[in-house]
Amino acid sequence: MKRRDILKSLTLLPVAGPLLGTVLFPQTAKASPSGKKRDLYKELGVRTFINAAGTLTFMTGSLMHDYVLETINDASKDFCLLDELQDKVGEKIAALVHSEAAVVTSGAFSGMTLALAGILTGKDTKKVEQLPHLEGTGMKTEVICQKGHDIVYNHALINTGCKIVVVETAEDVAKAVNEKTALMHFLNIEADKGKIWHEEWVELGKKFNIPTSIDIAADVPPVSNLWKFNDMGFHFVVISGGKAIRGPQSAGLLMGKKYVIEAARLHMPPRGFNIGRGMKVNKEEILAMYVALEHYINQDHDIEWKDWEKRTANVENTVKSINGVTTSVSVPKLGNSTPTLKIAWDNAKIKIAAKDLQEKLRKGDPSIEVGGGGDNYINVTVWMTKPGQEKIVANRIKEELIKASA
């Protein structure tokens, strides 16, 4: 049936709503057996696993807490005006993260696009409608970025129509700044790959009167990063919501100067004359993101850290007794700053490549994902495991390493 025929047929139904699933999709309208909860992953043949690798997007980030899920469910039962909700939630979030303003976005990536779009257009709706076509508009067209910070995610900035101008030193910045410069962008996770650090970057922006931004997508903990860069003076900061904060995976935060956020909002739904119309965030995600952030900031991070250390030690103590195995625990400084266990082995004593060990863990029951490394080591983190799963991870790694022992 053609779409118009389907719509026409629905008008003939006395009550279209309850019958819609049965009429159009009879096979999917079947209710699950009374009292039996559907396991859709199993039903669809989708593999689930214990996540000992971290908050990776391709592994669906993190797991939401029950209070976040309850918020989503409760929010789904009433209507509200999207802009009003963003206004109210934005005020609360801004207070929590020390920024002038904030808004919930569909991830950190979209936050970058929206914020730069706002800087380019201000509140001029005619200019908003013109993006990403900058030629002949009088809008600025360039974003300055350090060479070591120019990664694929900067495509979020290119989406506005701007181009990236790469620099390496403060002298390069001085030469690159011109009347076309719209923004100076910084990538926190790659801070050590550049020659200019955060504070100097902000000062250079002030010196040349250019807005500065920073992408901290997965860079909490520490929790202080949520306000550190706002306090430092960046014009806008973006972060993913579905990592350590454990909000919806499809949500994020854009926080910063009020004029930037207000202009960015013109590029967001419910408006449809902009490049951000497809970056929709629903009411459930907005409220869930707020609740997740509020809980994350107020939780006892010292207790959480001690729990991570204890469970990491459990894994380490289980595997380090194997002949030929060495272990070490480190904490990444710039992002995903949690205890990370490196498990290495002597290839002369344990005949298995890291990728083969990963595959055996992946294909086991239960399936386990661990971090990749070199030819003879893997990395394990426990912060995305459920309580007790670290013991399963430890025993499975030990089992496979012993099997591979010479």
Side-chain angles (χ1 to χ4, degrees):
M1 296 176 71
K2 294 182 179 179
R3 182 173 179 271
R4 62 175 179 271
D5 295 328
I6 293 173
L7 295 174
K8 182 178 179 181
S9 68
L10 290 179
T11 64
L12 302 177
L13 295 173
V15 184
L19 298 177
L20 180 58
T22 304
V23 172
L24 297 184
F25 309 104
Q27 293 181 344
T28 60
K30 296 177 182 177
S32 39
S34 178
K36 186 177 181 180
K37 187 177 180 181
R38 293 177 71 181
D39 184 342
L40 288 169
Y41 289 120
K42 187 174 181 180
E43 200 175 299
L44 295 168
V46 174
R47 177 178 66 96
T48 60
F49 52 83
I50 294 174
N51 182 359
T55 56
L56 302 166
T57 296
F58 79 95
M59 291 186 185
T60 59
S62 61
L63 300 179
M64 291 180 281
H65 289 295
D66 287 344
Y67 52 77
V68 178
L69 295 171
E70 289 168 7
T71 300
I72 291 173
N73 186 54
D74 291 343
S76 70
K77 298 174 182 178
D78 289 293
F79 292 99
C80 69
L81 293 177
L82 192 60
D83 274 332
E84 182 182 5
L85 184 62
Q86 286 280 34
D87 288 342
K88 300 297 185 181
V89 169
E91 289 174 9
K92 295 290 187 180
I93 290 175
L96 290 171
V97 298
H98 305 186
S99 64
E100 293 180 9
V103 66
V104 178
T105 61
S106 57
F109 189 96
S110 75
M112 289 169 61
T113 300
L114 296 166
L116 176 54
I119 288 172
L120 294 173
T121 67
K123 294 184 179 180
D124 187 330
T125 54
K126 182 178 179 181
K127 289 182 177 179
V128 172
E129 293 174 4
Q130 291 173 311
L131 290 187
H133 307 292
L134 298 176
E135 188 175 351
T137 65
M139 287 186 273
K140 297 181 178 182
T141 58
E142 296 179 357
V143 174
I144 294 175
C145 177
Q146 293 186 72
K147 183 178 180 180
H149 297 201
D150 189 22
I151 65 170
V152 293
Y153 296 120
N154 285 348
H155 207 293
L157 304 172
I158 298 172
N159 283 348
T160 65
C162 284
K163 70 175 184 178
I164 304 293
V165 176
V166 175
V167 298
E168 292 192 68
T169 65
E171 291 74 22
D172 291 340
V173 174
K175 294 176 183 177
V177 169
N178 60 66
E179 69 281 355
K180 297 178 182 178
T181 307
L183 181 70
M184 290 171 53
H185 184 64
F186 195 96
L187 179 61
N188 184 62
I189 195 68
E190 299 289 324
D192 58 350
K193 302 294 193 300
K195 297 180 180 180
I196 307 170
W197 283 76
H198 308 77
E199 293 87 352
E200 185 181 2
W201 193 256
V202 171
E203 288 307 310
L204 284 169
K206 291 178 180 177
K207 178 180 179 180
F208 297 113
N209 196 30
I210 303 296
T212 51
S213 62
I214 184 168
D215 175 2
I216 62 166
D219 302 345
V220 293
V223 64
S224 58
N225 275 2
L226 285 167
W227 50 82
K228 174 181 178 180
F229 303 108
N230 290 315
D231 290 343
M232 197 177 289
F234 281 94
H235 285 71
F236 74 81
V237 181
V238 295
I239 188 167
S240 297
K243 303 291 193 302
I245 301 172
R246 295 178 72 165
Q249 171 67 4
S250 53
L253 297 176
L254 166 59
M255 42 199 176
K257 305 297 184 185
K258 187 175 181 180
Y259 85 91
V260 175
I261 308 304
E262 287 182 344
R265 290 278 299 276
L266 293 179
H267 297 268
M268 295 180 65
R271 285 150 291 278
F273 51 82
N274 49 45
I275 62 171
R277 173 64 185 183
M279 302 174 189
K280 188 180 292 184
V281 189
N282 60 43
K283 64 184 187 296
E284 294 83 4
E285 291 173 310
I286 294 169
L287 286 168
M289 193 65 251
Y290 167 50
V291 170
L293 177 69
E294 187 179 48
H295 275 262
Y296 180 71
I297 288 176
N298 292 317
Q299 72 186 55
D300 192 322
H301 294 278
D302 289 335
I303 289 178
E304 181 181 53
W305 190 271
K306 289 176 182 177
D307 176 63
W308 290 341
E309 287 183 324
K310 180 181 178 180
R311 295 200 285 134
T312 300
N314 188 310
V315 180
E316 182 176 26
N317 291 334
T318 299
V319 302
K320 71 180 183 181
S321 61
I322 302 171
N323 184 29
V325 169
T326 57
T327 61
S328 61
V329 178
S330 62
V331 178
K333 292 182 178 180
L334 294 171
N336 294 305
S337 299
T338 63
T340 302
L341 173 64
K342 179 180 179 180
I343 302 173
W345 55 90
D346 183 344
N347 281 330
K349 297 178 179 179
I350 300 176
K351 306 290 188 179
I352 191 170
K355 61 180 180 59
D356 294 328
L357 175 57
Q358 284 182 284
E359 191 63 17
K360 288 181 180 295
L361 295 172
R362 183 174 293 127
K363 291 183 176 179
D365 184 16
S367 178
I368 298 170
E369 290 287 346
V370 296
D375 291 335
N376 68 326
Y377 70 89
I378 59 171
N379 291 306
V380 172
T381 63
V382 301
W383 67 312
M384 284 298 122
T385 60
K386 299 174 185 177
Q389 287 184 335
E390 75 281 354
K391 296 177 182 178
I392 299 173
V393 172
N395 290 331
R396 283 289 296 120
I397 293 173
K398 180 179 181 179
E399 179 183 1
E400 293 299 339
L401 289 176
I402 288 177
K403 284 181 182 179
S405 296

